[in-house]
């Protein structure tokens, strides 16, 4: 367990803190690392059990299929991301301040949890159709948070944005791609990337221009 | 062959037009589709040969290993992307015009060739170390194109950018992530996304502000 928590993206263990029992949590952490390293289709439940120091039989007590593990990871990851966005949205302040906070928080999550985020983003099509639909619905809610702030800012005259849908897409895309390129050995911390990107996004919407 | 050209990202066949003989080209197209669908590690050379309508023995005439196929795809993809960037960079016009053209061209490539781009981006760590190093060097050259234009624009007073390295990273990241979310059934064409993004990037650098 100490091992599972100390590998990966320096916190992938902590991200699943709410998952109980502990064996189920340990298997999720192992699955994230296995999927990230070899891809979903090349990973077997035996690989995952082995990484968690458990037998395949012990795995099946908690998860019936490999897809159930991916779904659980994706669901928890998306719930957490949406929660972070909504919390940032509900803060006090102008539309510009809330947009900056949303970008900072979303970038921070994608930087710090980049291994999980990569699995969640790149293996979306590996989910069963009904699970994929559920996750897509959650993603629409995340999109809606950014869209609402852009609409507020435009209505109040704080922002100058003609294509709100396209700009929403670009803002989210910029944040999500942090998971692809971020690495802990790089020169920028998650907070520094968050500040940089918040500034760039405020420019995109011409806040205070 | 007609099949291989008509599937995938509506042009993945055309992208490899320079690859000869034709059987080698057909195998590359099949490998891109297989890697995109199942991931590199879950794909066998037998799968690739089968998709190309060939025997495993026929595959080995052209490629000794699966990694050689990935390397060839990645090399051709990166060569092409760099070529596109350099051509856009060398055009006439102000720094703002050249930056807009670079973004348009890079976005267009990532949208139109999104299946290839995904493989190339997400399977970077599946390359052999010496091949990975070669590709990383090509990527640095792409980064340098954007960085040079930003430096030109700042020097000439066209742009207002304090963190040139960070802004270069963000511009490229925004373009690359198009490969993740773009799909042909969406409401925006590659050219429309290119125009949208060129406008957003000019705002990021405060061109003409």
């Amino acid at each position: 367990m100490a091992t599972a928590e100390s590998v990966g993206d320096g916190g992938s263990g902590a991200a699943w803190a709410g998952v109980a029992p502990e064996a189920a949590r340990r298997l999720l952490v192992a699955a994230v690392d296995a999927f990230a390293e070899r891809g979903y289709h090349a990973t077997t439940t035996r690989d995952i059990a082995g990484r968690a120091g458990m037998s395949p039989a012990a795995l099946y007590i908690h998860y019936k299929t490999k897809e159930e593990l991916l779904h659980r990871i994706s669901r928890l990851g998306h719930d957490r991301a949406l929660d972070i966005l909504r919390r940032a949205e509900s803060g006090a302040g102008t539309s510009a301040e809330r947009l900056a906070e949303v970008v900072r928080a979303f970038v921070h999550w994608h930087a710090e949890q980049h291994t999980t985020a990569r699995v969640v983003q790149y293996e979306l099509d590996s989910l069963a159709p009904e699970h994929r639909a559920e996750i897509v619905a959650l993603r629409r809610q995340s999109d809606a948070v950014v869209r609402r702030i852009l609409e507020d800012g435009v209505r109040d005259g704080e922002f100058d944005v003609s294509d709100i849908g396209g700009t929403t897409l670009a803002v989210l895309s910029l944040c999500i791609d942090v998971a692809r390129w971020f690495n802990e050995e790089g020169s920028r911390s998650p907070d520094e990337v968050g500040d940089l990107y918040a500034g760039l996004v405020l420019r995109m919407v011409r806040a205070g221009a």
Side-chain angles (χ1 to χ4, degrees), chain A:
Chain A
M1 258 174 307
T3 317
E5 283 196 40
S6 58
V7 297
D9 41 17
S12 66
W16 314 114
V19 178
E22 187 273 335
R25 188 182 68 72
R26 193 148 42 114
L27 286 161
L28 277 193
V29 174
V32 168
D33 289 339
F35 294 156
E37 208 175 290
R38 304 264 307 162
Y40 175 79
H41 293 292
T43 300
T44 63
T45 47
R46 180 173 290 272
D47 296 335
I48 296 167
R51 273 179 190 256
M54 291 165 63
S55 69
L59 181 146
Y60 289 117
I61 295 171
H62 303 285
Y63 304 100
K64 275 181 214 75
T65 62
K66 182 173 71 162
E67 197 273 340
E68 190 181 334
L69 275 154
L70 180 63
H71 174 236
R72 194 98 167 85
I73 291 163
S74 191
R75 177 75 209 216
L76 285 166
H78 279 87
D79 279 344
R80 181 88 186 102
L82 182 56
D83 184 53
I84 284 167
L85 286 173
R86 285 195 172 143
R87 225 179 311 166
E89 181 195 17
S90 66
T94 61
S95 296
E97 284 162 349
R98 287 183 301 132
L99 181 59
E101 191 48 35
V102 157
V103 170
R104 260 187 228 109
F106 208 46
V107 164
H108 193 278
W109 189 84
H110 281 88
E112 205 165 69
Q113 302 297 327
H114 61 85
T115 306
T116 301
R118 279 183 209 170
V119 169
V120 158
Q121 298 296 343
Y122 306 157
E123 298 289 6
L124 198 58
D125 289 335
S126 303
L127 288 170
E130 71 276 19
H131 289 156
R132 193 182 185 289
E134 176 197 302
I135 298 299
V136 168
L138 280 174
R139 295 168 75 92
R140 294 228 173 89
Q141 293 183 53
S142 290
D143 297 357
V145 169
V146 172
R147 178 184 272 273
R148 274 195 299 272
I149 301 178
L150 294 188
E151 284 167 348
D152 286 354
V154 168
R155 200 186 44 239
D156 301 347
E158 270 191 76
F159 300 160
D160 168 19
V161 175
S162 53
D163 182 347
I164 289 186
T167 307
T168 297
L169 176 66
V171 169
L172 287 159
S173 172
L174 187 66
C175 297
I176 288 171
D177 196 51
V178 169
R180 180 183 56 80
W181 62 260
F182 187 84
N183 87 74
E184 290 83 9
E185 272 99 67
S187 58
R188 292 164 201 271
S189 71
D191 283 334
E192 285 165 349
V193 180
D195 286 339
L196 169 69
Y197 276 36
L200 292 170
V201 166
L202 291 181
R203 285 178 164 209
M204 278 188 187
V205 301
R206 286 250 165 91

